[in-house]
Amino acid sequence: MTVKAALGTQAAATRFLNVGGKASVAGTDDSAEMACATDMAETAPIVFHLVYEDAAGNVSQRIVTVRKIETGPSGPLLLCFCHLRQRARRFSLDRVLEVFDVSTGQVHGDPTSFFLSHPLLAIAESHEDRAIRLCADDLTILTVVGAADGRFDPDEQDQLLIHVFDRYEDGALDEDLLRGRLSLLTPDYASFFNSLSRVRPEDGRLLRRSLRRMVDADGQIDPAELVFVETIEARLDGTR
């Protein structure tokens, strides 16, 4: 395994020289968001060459040994040993511009799809992730309705949480973690109509109940908001 890791690093280093010269453009130290709390032991022989753009827009080339993928607040993260820095580093997957897979010799221009489908790096989906995925369309609709009057009150945010707890039955949910994930939702009207078209009839009853709760949540019945909900209910019934 150690020999395989060394050969992988060597292959990535060869490409590194071919595409970028003898030195990475990452002249300064990495940003704080890329640092890991502790260095990781050299064990997994999964070596890649990355082209990476950090939060400040600096593009660098890295040879990394990927340990695992984790879900962060803003999306998946690669936890790696960086051979340039000789330290553990964290890379936001959505900022990886290109990945060279040394095991196959292939270059992948869609790193997110490549890593998330990699059989050795699959993310263990948490209950909170599964719950939000299950309720994604409902949450989009409820969020747009809640913000229809120009604000999204804490009581309306609570209704999102209640809806997820009502629908999800596969395991215990961490309320604080779930609340934090829900606070990041910012759907637009295009996603709203797409979600509305995907709601299944068997899920409509619970969504209708949550829609009514959302309207009542702030203690004020807004006639325009009520008409909006009635229009949504009619769409769910297939009458409009």
Side-chain angles (χ1 to χ4, degrees):
M1 299 293 276
T2 303
V3 171
K4 184 177 179 181
L7 290 173
T9 304
Q10 185 179 41
T14 300
R15 173 173 168 77
F16 179 87
L17 293 175
N18 289 339
V19 302
K22 294 185 178 181
S24 171
V25 297
T28 59
D29 199 10
D30 297 327
S31 59
E33 69 175 3
M34 295 171 66
C36 291
T38 58
D39 284 350
M40 294 170 284
E42 279 291 317
T43 54
I46 311 176
V47 179
F48 302 98
H49 172 270
L50 306 180
V51 178
Y52 186 75
E53 181 176 10
D54 67 17
N58 300 311
V59 177
S60 61
Q61 299 166 33
R62 307 295 179 102
I63 299 170
V64 300
T65 302
V66 177
R67 289 286 164 275
K68 59 180 177 178
I69 302 177
E70 288 188 348
T71 301
S74 59
L77 301 169
L78 294 178
L79 271 63
C80 310
F81 179 84
C82 176
H83 294 269
L84 173 67
R85 300 301 187 198
Q86 288 296 300
R87 295 187 66 84
R89 283 293 182 262
R90 177 188 293 114
F91 298 94
S92 294
L93 191 48
D94 62 355
R95 296 198 190 115
V96 179
L97 306 180
E98 180 187 282
V99 55
F100 169 60
D101 183 355
V102 301
S103 65
T104 64
Q106 293 181 310
V107 177
H108 299 272
D110 185 357
T112 298
S113 296
F114 170 73
F115 279 114
L116 292 184
S117 63
H118 197 289
L120 298 180
L121 296 170
I123 298 177
E125 191 177 35
S126 68
H127 283 295
E128 291 74 26
D129 291 331
R130 290 177 61 192
I132 288 179
R133 179 167 54 81
L134 173 69
C135 302
D137 289 325
D138 291 4
L139 293 172
T140 295
I141 295 167
L142 291 169
T143 302
V144 170
V145 169
D149 59 358
R151 62 184 187 277
F152 200 64
D153 299 319
D155 288 339
E156 292 172 325
Q157 295 173 357
D158 287 343
Q159 292 306 315
L160 295 181
L161 193 68
I162 292 170
H163 182 81
V164 175
F165 272 96
D166 284 348
R167 271 204 70 179
Y168 190 74
E169 300 176 347
D170 293 343
L173 295 170
D174 184 315
E175 180 176 335
D176 291 336
L177 181 58
L178 189 60
R179 190 182 295 276
R181 294 287 303 279
L182 293 174
S183 69
L184 300 175
L185 294 176
T186 54
D188 55 25
Y189 278 90
S191 59
F192 166 79
F193 285 111
N194 288 334
S195 292
L196 191 58
S197 68
R198 288 194 296 259
V199 174
R200 301 180 304 172
E202 57 266 35
D203 298 328
R205 181 185 61 81
L206 183 56
L207 178 57
R208 288 184 184 86
R209 187 174 70 184
S210 294
L211 283 167
R212 292 291 171 166
R213 287 177 174 172
M214 186 67 74
V215 172
D216 297 338
D218 58 5
Q220 300 177 3
I221 305 298
D222 185 327
E225 198 173 46
L226 193 57
V227 170
F228 188 22
V229 168
E230 289 173 349
T231 302
I232 293 171
E233 290 175 335
R235 286 285 296 270
L236 292 173
D237 291 335
T239 58
R240 290 191 192 179

